[in-house]
C-alpha cells in the first residue's frame, strides 16, 4: 500500500511523463499493482518476487518506461539480496553488474557517449546499489548471528565445566565422608554391638549357672544404665551410618533429590524425640512435646528442613542445656509452620550452668549456621538466642512457609 500510494503521488505531481508518457491511467497502474503484490512475498519467496519484478519492469521499460515500477523493483532486489538464498544473492551481484555494463556499453556504442555514461550511472544506482546494500546488511547480520552462536557455545562449555567441577567436588566430599565419618560410625556401631553381645552372653551364662545350682547372680529385672546407654549409642550410630551412606550416594549422583529418596517426615518428629529421651534422662532433661494431631501436607523441602532443624536443636540441647524442662513445639498454620525448642540456660537453683552463653554460640556455630541456612533456602525465618520473655532459657525458633515448592 505504501508503494502504491507513493506511485500515485508521483503520478499526480509529475503527470504522465513520470509514469511513462502519455498513456492511459490504467496502463500505468497495472505494473504498479503487480509489483506491489510481489512485495507481499519478497521475504518468504525472494526468487519468485524477483522473477515477477524483472518481467514486469522489462515489459514496462520497453513499452512506456515509467519511474514508479522501477523504484518498487529496487526494493525487491534489496529484499532478495537480504533474505534470499546464497546462490540468489551471488546471482544478483553478478547479474546487476553485467546488466549495468551491457547497458552502458550498448548506449555508448549506439548513441552519445556522455548520455550513455550518465544512463549507466543511473542504472547502477537503481540495480547495483540496492543489491550491494542488501549484501552488506546480510553479511553484518550473519556475522552477528555467528557471534551470538559462539557466545552461546562458550556459555554451554562454561556451564559444562562448572558442572564437571561441581561433580568432582561432590565426589571428593562423598569420598571424604565415607572414608572418615562413615568408618568411625561403623566402628562405634560394631564395638557397641560387641559389648552388648558379650554382656548378654555373660548374663545368659550366669542364668544357666543359677538354674544348675551353681553360684551365680540373677538380675533383679532392672535394666543396667550402661547397657541402655550402649543400646542408644548403637541405635544412633547405625541410623547415622545409614543416613551417611544415603548422603554419599546423593553426592556421587548427578541428580538431585527425587521422589524415591527416603526423606525424613514430619510424622517422624515424635520418634526423633523418643530416640533422644534416654540421653536426655541421663542429662536430667525432661523432654515435653507439643505437636499437632495431624501434620499438614507440605513439600518435601519443607519437610526435610523442619525435621533437620528439630534434630539439630535437640542435639544442641543434649550437648549444652542445663538440667530442666525442654519444650519442643510445632504449630502448623494456614501459610506457615512454626518450630520452637526452649531449653534451660541456668540450673534450677539459680546458678549459671558451666558453659556460658558465649561459649554456646561459639561452640554450636556450625549447627546454628546450618539451621539458619536451611530456613533461608526455603524463604523462612530463623532465630536463636536467650529468650527475653523467659530469663534463663535458650530458644530456637524457625518459621517456614508452607507454600514452598518441592
Amino acid at each position: 500500500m505504501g508503494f502504491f500510494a507513493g506511485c500515485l503521488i508521483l503520478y499526480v505531481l509529475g503527470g504522465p511523463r513520470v509514469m511513462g508518457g502519455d498513456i492511459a491511467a490504467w496502463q500505468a497502474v497495472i505494473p504498479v499493482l503487480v509489483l506491489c503484490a510481489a512485495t507481499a512475498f519478497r521475504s518468504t519467496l525472494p526468487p519468485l518476487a524477483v522473477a515477477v519484478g524483472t518481467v514486469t519492469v522489462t515489459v514496462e521499460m520497453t513499452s512506456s518506461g515509467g519511474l514508479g515500477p522501477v523504484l518498487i523493483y529496487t526494493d525487491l532486489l534489496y529484499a532478495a539480496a537480504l533474505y534470499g538464498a546464497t546462490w540468489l544473492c551471488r546471482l544478483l551481484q553478478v547479474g546487476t553488474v553485467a546488466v549495468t555494463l551491457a547497458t552502458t556499453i550498448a548506449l555508448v556504442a549506439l548513441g552519445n557517449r556522455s548520455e550513455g555514461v550518465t544512463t549507466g550511472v543511473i542504472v547502477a544506482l537503481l540495480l547495483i546499489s540496492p543489491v550491494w546494500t542488501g549484501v552488506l546488511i546480510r553479511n553484518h547480520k550473519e556475522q552477528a548471528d555467528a557471534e551470538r552462536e559462539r557466545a552461546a557455545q562458550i556459555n554451554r562449555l562454561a556451564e559444562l565445566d562448572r558442572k564437571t567441577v561441581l561433580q568432582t567436588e561432590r565426589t571428593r566430599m562423598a569420598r571424604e565422608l565415607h572414608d572418615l565419618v562413615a568408618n568411625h560410625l561403623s566402628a562405634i556401631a560394631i564395638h557397641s554391638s560387641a559389648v552388648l553381645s558379650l554382656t548378654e552372653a555373660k548374663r545368659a551364662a550366669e542364668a544357666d549357672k543359677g538354674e544348675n545350682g551353681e553360684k551365680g547372680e540373677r538380675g533383679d529385672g532392672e535394666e543396667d544404665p550402661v547397657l541402655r546407654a550402649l543400646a542408644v549409642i548403637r541405635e544412633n550410630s547405625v541410623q547415622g551410618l545409614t543416613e551417611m551412606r544415603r548422603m554419599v550416594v546423593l553426592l556421587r549422583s548427578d541428580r538431585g533429590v527425587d521422589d524415591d529418596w527416603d526423606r525424613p517426615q514430619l510424622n517422624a518428629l515424635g520418634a526423633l524425640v523418643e530416640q533422644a529421651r534416654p540421653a536426655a534422662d541421663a542429662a536430667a532433661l525432661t523432654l515435653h512435646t507439643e505437636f499437632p494431631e495431624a501434620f499438614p501436607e507440605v513439600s518435601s523441602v519443607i519437610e526435610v528442613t523442619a525435621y533437620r532443624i528439630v534434630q539439630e536443636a535437640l542435639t544442641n540441647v543434649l550437648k549444652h542445656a542445663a538440667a530442666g524442662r525442654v519444650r519442643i513445639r510445632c504449630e502448623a498454620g494456614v501459610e506457615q509452620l512454626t518450630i520452637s525448642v526452649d531449653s534451660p540456660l541456668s540450673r534450677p537453683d539459680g546458678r549459671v550452668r558451666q558453659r556460658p552463653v558465649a561459649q554456646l554460640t561459639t561452640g554450636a556455630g556450625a549447627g546454628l549456621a546450618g539451621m539458619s541456612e536451611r530456613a533461608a533456602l526455603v524463604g523462612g525465618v530463623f532465630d536463636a538466642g536467650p529468650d527475653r520473655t523467659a530469663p534463663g532459657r535458650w530458644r530456637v525458633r524457625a518459621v517456614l512457609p508452607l507454600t514452598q515448592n518441592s
Side-chain angles (χ1 to χ4, degrees):
M1 294 300 294
F3 288 120
F4 184 72
C7 289
L8 291 181
I9 293 174
L10 286 176
Y11 184 79
V12 172
L13 295 179
R17 183 178 181 183
V18 175
M19 299 303 294
D22 190 10
I23 59 176
W26 64 270
Q27 293 180 355
V29 171
I30 289 178
V32 174
L33 289 176
V34 173
L35 290 172
C36 288
T39 58
F41 49 88
R42 61 179 181 173
S43 60
T44 56
L45 296 174
L48 181 59
V50 170
V52 172
T54 302
V55 172
T56 304
V57 170
T58 302
V59 173
E60 175 69 13
M61 295 300 295
T62 56
S63 60
S64 59
L67 180 61
V70 176
L71 296 178
I72 301 176
Y73 183 63
T74 58
D75 182 73
L76 293 178
L77 293 176
Y78 167 79
L82 180 61
Y83 303 112
T86 304
W87 65 268
L88 179 60
C89 184
R90 294 176 180 175
L91 179 62
L92 290 176
Q93 289 179 273
V94 176
T96 52
V97 172
V99 170
T100 302
L101 292 177
T103 302
T104 304
I105 293 174
L107 292 177
V108 169
L110 297 176
N112 191 339
R113 179 177 300 180
S114 59
E115 292 182 358
V117 173
T118 303
T119 304
V121 172
I122 296 175
V123 172
L125 292 176
L126 294 176
L127 298 182
I128 298 177
S129 177
V131 171
W132 284 91
T133 302
V135 171
L136 181 63
I137 297 177
R138 180 194 183 104
N139 292 336
H140 282 291
K141 183 179 178 181
E142 291 178 352
Q143 184 178 2
D145 293 340
E147 291 296 330
R148 280 194 295 267
E149 180 61 26
R150 182 171 176 269
Q153 184 177 6
I154 293 175
N155 290 335
R156 289 193 294 267
L157 292 175
E159 180 66 16
L160 182 61
D161 292 341
R162 187 191 68 82
K163 290 182 177 180
T164 302
V165 173
L166 180 61
Q167 186 60 33
T168 302
E169 183 64 19
R170 285 165 62 115
T171 303
R172 187 189 68 82
M173 293 172 59
R175 183 172 59 251
E176 295 295 331
L177 287 174
H178 180 271
D179 294 343
L180 298 177
V181 182
N183 287 339
H184 288 296
L185 289 175
S186 299
I188 294 173
I190 292 172
H191 283 79
S192 59
S193 299
V195 173
L196 289 175
S197 299
L198 292 175
T199 305
E200 292 176 358
K202 182 178 179 181
R203 281 190 170 185
E206 291 178 352
D208 292 339
K209 290 181 180 180
E211 291 177 357
N212 295 330
E214 298 180 5
K215 185 178 179 180
E217 296 181 356
R218 292 180 178 268
D220 54 2
E222 295 182 357
E223 187 179 1
D224 190 349
V226 177
L227 297 181
R228 184 173 61 181
L230 284 174
V232 173
I233 292 173
R234 180 181 62 178
E235 182 180 357
N236 282 274
S237 59
V238 171
Q239 183 179 359
L241 183 61
T242 302
E243 294 189 1
M244 183 63 65
R245 287 172 178 170
R246 292 173 182 168
M247 184 59 63
V248 169
V249 173
L250 177 62
L251 287 174
R252 288 186 179 276
S253 174
D254 57 353
R255 299 180 295 112
V257 179
D258 51 24
D259 295 335
D260 297 332
W261 178 257
D262 188 12
R263 62 180 184 270
Q265 299 179 353
L266 289 177
N267 295 330
L269 288 178
L272 177 64
V273 175
E274 292 301 323
Q275 184 180 352
R277 285 194 185 278
D281 294 340
L285 292 171
T286 303
L287 302 182
H288 177 70
T289 59
E290 296 181 13
F291 294 154
E293 296 181 358
F295 286 95
E297 294 185 1
V298 298
S299 64
S300 59
V301 178
I302 296 297
E303 206 163 24
V304 172
T305 301
Y307 185 91
R308 295 305 183 192
I309 288 177
V310 174
Q311 187 180 41
E312 182 63 28
L314 277 177
T315 301
N316 288 341
V317 166
L318 297 177
K319 285 181 179 180
H320 307 290
R325 185 170 179 265
V326 179
R327 185 175 62 178
I328 304 146
R329 301 178 59 187
C330 184
E331 299 178 358
V334 179
E335 298 181 352
Q336 62 187 22
L337 181 69
T338 304
I339 299 171
S340 62
V341 179
D342 300 333
S343 59
L345 276 174
S346 59
R347 298 180 178 179
D349 56 7
R351 292 184 298 169
V352 180
R353 62 194 182 90
Q354 296 180 356
R355 297 182 180 181
V357 177
Q359 186 175 352
L360 173 63
T361 55
T362 302
L368 293 177
M371 289 187 286
S372 178
E373 290 171 357
R374 284 184 180 274
L377 285 175
V378 298
V381 178
F382 176 81
D383 180 42
D387 192 351
R388 297 179 180 179
T389 61
R393 295 189 65 84
W394 179 271
R395 187 187 69 169
V396 172
R397 185 173 181 270
V399 180
L400 309 178
L402 297 181
T403 56
Q404 173 70 23
N405 296 324
S406 57

